[in-house]
Amino acid sequence: MNIILLGPPGAGKGTQAKRLVEKYHIPQVSTGDMLRAALKEGTPLGLEAKKYMDAGGLVPDSVVIGLVKERIQKPDATGGYMLDGFPRTVAQAQELDSILGTLGQTIDHVVSVEVPSSELLGRLTGRRTCRACGAGFHVIFDPPKKEGVCDKCGGELYQRSDDNEATVQSRLETYEAQTKPLIDYYQKASKLRRIDGVGQMDDILGRIQKVLG
């Protein structure tokens, strides 16, 4: 089973990805992991990507697609895989379809974990981090025993700059703008599975498993 996992920042996608990997015994294929592995191994595509990264530029689609093609042909992906963070655009999705066609493969399900923006704002702006030990807390879901103080080391808790409301709102708007065309693309292909991402993690996992069958 080949899956694409979509979801905005704060939707709990990372948590569900780990659980799905364990449940279905398939690798999680993320562009970040692939780039790091290719750089470490010094593959031709890794070296090509390094040129762009060293220059402070974005790694072009052609290189990313090449990395994906290499990764999904590795032995651990023969029983399926889950693409996380790719594709991000319709152009990438079309290129992916083309490559999968040459490999005799297809995407079976595109799971979109959906959460209202108001809920996402609360989730993302509520995160707090310890300046001393780096431990993470959440003012709603995992509050410290004493406000502003780390339970683990007594250090000061602070809100990261990328967790303030203006920054979070901008991130959510960017995701919406980039991903909506992608959702429409897979909707037309009858592969999109919309999942309600509000509730307990176990309940959300159950919803995903139900659509995957």
Side-chain angles (χ1 to χ4, degrees):
M1 179 163 53
N2 303 329
I3 307 167
I4 291 172
L5 189 61
L6 299 175
K13 187 166 64 81
T15 300
Q16 297 302 337
K18 288 174 188 170
R19 300 174 82 174
L20 290 169
V21 163
E22 291 171 6
K23 173 73 179 172
Y24 293 100
H25 307 291
I26 56 175
Q28 179 181 357
V29 179
S30 79
T31 48
D33 290 344
M34 286 187 302
L35 277 169
R36 283 188 286 274
L39 289 169
K40 186 177 179 182
E41 294 166 15
T43 66
L45 281 171
L47 295 173
E48 181 73 10
K50 189 174 186 300
K51 287 193 302 188
Y52 292 96
M53 293 165 75
D54 287 348
L58 291 172
V59 179
D61 282 0
S62 58
V63 176
V64 177
I65 290 280
L67 289 169
V68 171
K69 185 177 181 181
E70 283 184 353
R71 180 64 186 88
I72 62 177
Q73 292 183 85
K74 290 191 174 180
D76 67 337
T78 53
Y81 44 82
M82 180 174 61
L83 294 174
D84 182 8
F86 183 88
R88 289 183 183 274
T89 64
V90 170
Q92 288 180 346
Q94 291 170 332
E95 189 64 31
L96 176 64
D97 284 346
S98 175
I99 282 171
L100 292 177
T102 65
L103 298 175
Q105 298 182 18
T106 187
I107 293 297
D108 301 301
H109 304 283
V110 178
V111 176
S112 176
V113 181
E114 304 190 346
V115 179
S117 293
S118 55
E119 172 87 7
L120 292 170
L121 271 173
R123 290 183 187 185
L124 292 166
T125 58
R127 293 193 296 199
R128 298 293 183 271
T129 306
C130 176
R131 289 191 190 279
C133 72
F137 296 87
H138 195 284
V139 296
I140 300 170
F141 306 116
D142 184 23
K145 294 188 178 86
K146 184 178 178 183
E147 187 178 346
V149 180
C150 177
D151 292 353
K152 297 179 181 177
C153 75
E156 177 196 357
L157 299 182
Y158 74 105
Q159 183 186 50
R160 288 174 12 188
S161 60
D162 57 347
D163 286 340
N164 69 53
E165 189 165 337
T167 305
V168 167
Q169 187 67 53
S170 176
R171 286 166 62 196
L172 293 177
E173 288 171 1
T174 298
Y175 176 83
E176 179 72 19
Q178 288 181 341
T179 310
K180 192 174 187 314
L182 197 59
I183 285 176
D184 292 344
Y185 178 81
Y186 284 116
Q187 181 83 58
K188 287 174 185 171
S190 301
K191 293 184 179 182
L192 189 72
R193 318 288 179 243
R194 295 180 183 272
I195 300 295
D196 179 3
V198 178
Q200 297 297 315
M201 288 299 174
D202 286 346
D203 294 337
I204 298 165
L205 178 65
R207 292 169 202 155
I208 296 174
Q209 287 180 252
K210 188 174 180 182
V211 299
L212 296 182

